[in-house]
Amino acid sequence: MIFPEWIKSGDSIGVTACSAGKTAPVDLIRLDSAARQLEKRGYHVIETPDVRKNERGRSAEARVRAEELHSLVRNPEVTWIVQACGGDYLAEMLSYTDFDEIKRYPKWYQGYSDPTGLLFTITTNCDMATVYAGNFGDFGMEQWHRCLEENVGVLEGSTFTQKSFPMYKNGFAERITGYEDYQEDTPVRWECRTGQCKLSGRLLGGCLDVLLDLVGTRFDKTAEWCERYKDDGILWYLESFALSAERLTCGLWHLKEAGWFRHAGGFVFGRPTFFSSENDIGYQEAVESVLGELSVPIVYEADIGHKAPRMTMINGARAELTTTDGKGELLLKF
């Protein structure tokens, strides 16, 4: 497993838009604020040309998006590449991505939601650790949330333990200034069917909606990667954006039958963003109907993914996760 060097003051952070770009005035304010916040911490920010463009859900044509990514890959001053935002079409640019070059110049890649397509593929194709955490705009809030401090701390090599948060943001609130925090409104409570559990293994995962698009493609090296680390066991972390109970059930079945979960040591599910069911099936019921037979621990409502704040998950890192009385703790091991 390739772990890029820790980032440090004086390094450059590359911001690119492999999926959608940002054009709304409030979002541009947030991007500018994020750059200022990180520059105060001693980093330089390099933004690729199409971050602030968006045409039908794409920052640019797929080939251009890949070229802009590779301009950061080849830049020796860039040690951390962060996605501008999510979207729907990142998968298109994978066809033009040079994974040999990415492996040749190890650096940290970060994002969540649609950027799963890039992060997950880099880890399983290049055997390189990647970061499932906030997109660049998250760093634009005026007063950083603890999860952002910990995010930077993890990549600087100073933070290895993260604890669950007291509250989370359950709904969506319109930004007015661009400097807003997460506006948390709901108590955090992790759930485990045994009440208390301990999981360990190599972390791997991301947004299920995106992972389902990757399975069976030429970029799908998941079963082989899991076989390589079977002695550690795979600690899967997953979250869904808009999967219904029916789609969630069939999607997990698809991944299981593709061999992805053969060496699973446990599962951690983030809070779903949009969830519905035509058959009155709950989220946990849908998951258990597919994964219950694996007889491994399953945790729900964890601080992962779309409903912020979110923990910093490192694909490829060994980890221990414990839950007690509705709270969780994650220990990363490098």
Side-chain angles (χ1 to χ4, degrees):
M1 172 59 58
I2 300 169
F3 290 98
E5 294 183 3
W6 302 126
I7 65 173
K8 61 186 183 303
S9 179
D11 287 354
S12 292
I13 300 169
V15 183
T16 193
C18 291
S19 186
K22 290 289 191 181
T23 57
V26 71
D27 290 333
L28 301 185
I29 290 172
R30 203 163 177 86
L31 289 177
D32 290 337
S33 177
R36 287 194 301 271
Q37 293 273 26
L38 287 158
E39 286 167 355
K40 287 179 184 177
R41 286 163 169 78
Y43 294 96
H44 307 291
V45 176
I46 299 173
E47 195 176 285
T48 56
D50 290 309
V51 164
R52 299 173 187 238
K53 298 177 183 177
N54 199 55
E55 180 68 28
R56 294 176 178 260
R58 302 165 172 89
S59 66
E61 293 296 321
R63 189 184 296 275
V64 173
R65 281 179 271 154
E67 290 172 352
E68 293 188 5
L69 171 66
H70 282 287
S71 71
L72 299 175
V73 173
R74 291 187 293 268
N75 187 331
E77 296 180 356
V78 173
T79 57
W80 181 20
I81 298 175
V82 187
Q83 294 299 313
C85 60
D88 296 289
Y89 300 106
L90 183 142
E92 296 173 330
M93 55 83 64
L94 295 179
S95 302
Y96 305 101
T97 302
D98 185 342
F99 291 98
D100 289 334
E101 184 173 66
I102 286 174
K103 189 172 183 178
R104 193 178 308 127
Y105 303 108
K107 48 195 69 184
W108 295 103
Y109 296 83
Q110 176 170 324
Y112 80 98
S113 194
D114 202 29
T116 294
L118 179 65
L119 307 177
F120 188 91
T121 306
I122 288 174
T123 295
T124 53
N125 283 249
C126 302
D127 207 24
M128 184 188 299
T130 56
V131 189
Y132 198 72
N135 293 321
F136 193 70
D138 284 71
F139 295 97
M141 63 179 66
E142 188 169 15
Q143 295 295 323
W144 271 15
H145 191 281
R146 170 165 65 94
C147 74
L148 301 177
E149 298 283 359
E150 291 177 347
N151 184 173
V152 174
V154 168
L155 297 186
E156 289 178 335
S158 62
T159 300
F160 299 99
T161 300
Q162 301 169 72
K163 295 184 178 181
S164 57
F165 305 101
M167 304 283 288
Y168 73 94
K169 180 180 178 181
N170 191 32
F172 290 89
E174 183 180 1
R175 292 195 183 108
I176 305 300
T177 67
Y179 303 109
E180 290 87 351
D181 60 19
Y182 290 133
Q183 302 176 58
E184 300 128 302
D185 54 18
T186 305
V188 166
R189 183 167 183 81
W190 292 28
E191 298 182 16
C192 181
R193 58 186 173 185
T194 58
Q196 178 177 337
C197 60
K198 184 173 183 177
L199 305 79
S200 64
R202 293 266 176 182
L203 285 172
L204 188 64
C207 182
L208 267 168
D209 310 50
V210 179
L211 294 177
L212 292 175
D213 291 334
L214 296 176
V215 63
T217 67
R218 62 187 172 97
F219 305 105
D220 181 8
K221 310 293 184 185
T222 312
E224 297 95 315
W225 189 89
C226 292
E227 183 70 24
R228 183 178 306 131
Y229 294 106
K230 65 181 179 181
D231 291 342
D232 295 324
I234 309 304
L235 179 49
W236 283 94
Y237 69 91
L238 301 165
E239 54 109 5
S240 60
F241 179 68
L243 298 181
S244 65
E246 293 72 26
R247 187 72 183 103
L248 176 64
T249 301
C250 293
L252 290 173
W253 173 88
H254 193 174
L255 299 183
K256 185 176 70 171
E257 290 299 320
W260 285 30
F261 302 149
R262 190 172 296 128
H263 302 298
F267 294 87
V268 185
F269 283 86
R271 298 175 280 263
T273 311
F274 299 105
F275 180 73
S276 62
S277 175
E278 297 178 2
N279 296 290
D280 196 27
I281 296 172
Y283 195 90
Q284 294 187 25
E285 181 183 358
V287 171
E288 298 279 350
S289 70
V290 181
L291 304 182
E293 66 180 31
L294 299 181
S295 300
V296 297
I298 303 177
V299 174
Y300 300 93
E301 297 290 315
D303 299 329
I304 299 168
H306 287 77
K307 290 190 174 181
R310 54 188 70 87
M311 286 181 166
T312 298
M313 310 298 284
I314 305 295
N315 287 315
R318 291 182 298 115
E320 290 182 359
L321 186 144
T322 56
T323 66
T324 306
D325 298 328
K327 301 300 180 182
E329 181 172 305
L330 176 70
L331 171 62
L332 296 171
K333 299 180 177 182
F334 295 94

